[in-house]
Amino acid sequence: MSNEDDARRFSLGTGRLIQRRHFLGCGDGEEGGGGELSKIYEERRVLGYSQEQLFNVVLAVDLYHGFVPWCQRSEVLKQYPDGSFDAELEIGFKFLVESYISHVEFERPKWIKTTARDTGLFDHLINLWQFKPGPIPGTCELSILVDFKFNSPLYRQVASMFLKEVATRLIGAFSDRCRLVYGPGVPVDENS
């Protein structure tokens, strides 16, 4: 499936959590215990920064350790001829610290897709960021979709309880980073 297909397949809403299951609950080895195959969180917001500004901040993965909550280390490991790259991220909270490699693909300034690779932490993790011009010049409609499943049942349970809060804090961190890099944004109605 191409990235364009991914972008079309994901119809983004505002702050929605979706649980996916295999047909008839089969296939993920957890049939008796809740058996979600994955969780998907989607959110759409209008922010007071341009499409290009938000895109640049989200693409600067090597700087995440300085402003993304729970990110303790972020480093670009390898650049590919098509512009994509691999980055290692270390996330942690108190005594829980894990790292994973994320493959980052993008089309400037429309979308960024990250896919976790070589990880014991996630069964899968895909983030899709989409950037569209907002309703007011200088604004951007940001859509984010997170599709994931932790390998650990404990992490899955914790993530279920705090997923919306985590997503809200992440979007806030990127908005705050834009303010630091670009100055005050265009005023936006909170209900946009």
Side-chain angles (χ1 to χ4, degrees), residues 92-174:
F93 179 74
K94 298 191 180 190
F95 61 90
L96 300 173
V97 179
E98 299 278 353
S99 66
Y100 65 95
I101 294 176
S102 187
H103 181 68
V104 181
E105 304 167 273
F106 58 90
E107 182 183 334
R108 182 176 294 277
K110 296 178 181 180
W111 56 264
I112 298 171
K113 179 183 175 187
T114 66
T115 307
R117 291 184 170 174
D118 304 323
T119 175
L121 180 61
F122 296 101
D123 174 77
H124 69 272
L125 170 64
I126 300 167
N127 294 309
L128 179 63
W129 300 77
Q130 293 179 295
F131 310 88
K132 296 178 182 173
I136 302 167
T139 66
C140 176
E141 182 182 303
L142 172 66
S143 300
I144 181 172
L145 179 136
V146 181
D147 179 353
F148 73 98
K149 179 182 178 187
F150 283 108
N151 281 327
S152 162
L154 173 63
Y155 287 2
R156 278 197 298 270
Q157 187 174 14
V158 170
S160 294
M161 295 184 323
F162 298 107
L163 184 57
K164 184 170 183 173
E165 179 185 340
V166 167
T168 299
R169 285 191 61 185
L170 283 174
I171 291 172
F174 285 102

Side-chain angles (χ1 to χ4, degrees), residues 60-71:
V61 176
D62 57 327
L63 301 177
Y64 281 12
H65 65 276
F67 72 94
V68 173
W70 309 289
C71 184

Side-chain angles (χ1 to χ4, degrees), residues 14-87:
T14 303
R16 298 185 320 162
L17 173 63
I18 302 167
Q19 293 187 28
R20 284 190 181 162
R21 295 179 185 268
H22 269 304
F23 182 64
L24 298 178
C26 298
D28 72 352
E30 299 178 1
E31 284 76 16
E36 302 94 44
L37 182 61
S38 66
K39 294 204 181 295
I40 299 175
Y41 184 80
E42 303 170 293
E43 187 155 341
R44 180 181 295 156
R45 286 207 199 155
V46 174
L47 297 176
Y49 295 92
S50 73
Q51 182 180 10
E52 187 74 32
Q53 288 171 326
L54 277 167
F55 179 92
N56 288 338
V57 167
V58 174
L59 191 62
V61 176
D62 57 327
L63 301 177
Y64 281 12
H65 65 276
F67 72 94
V68 173
W70 309 289
C71 184
Q72 298 179 353
R73 190 169 55 82
S74 54
E75 176 184 0
V76 173
L77 302 175
K78 182 176 182 178
Q79 299 267 354
Y80 295 94
D82 66 357
S84 67
F85 59 91
D86 290 339

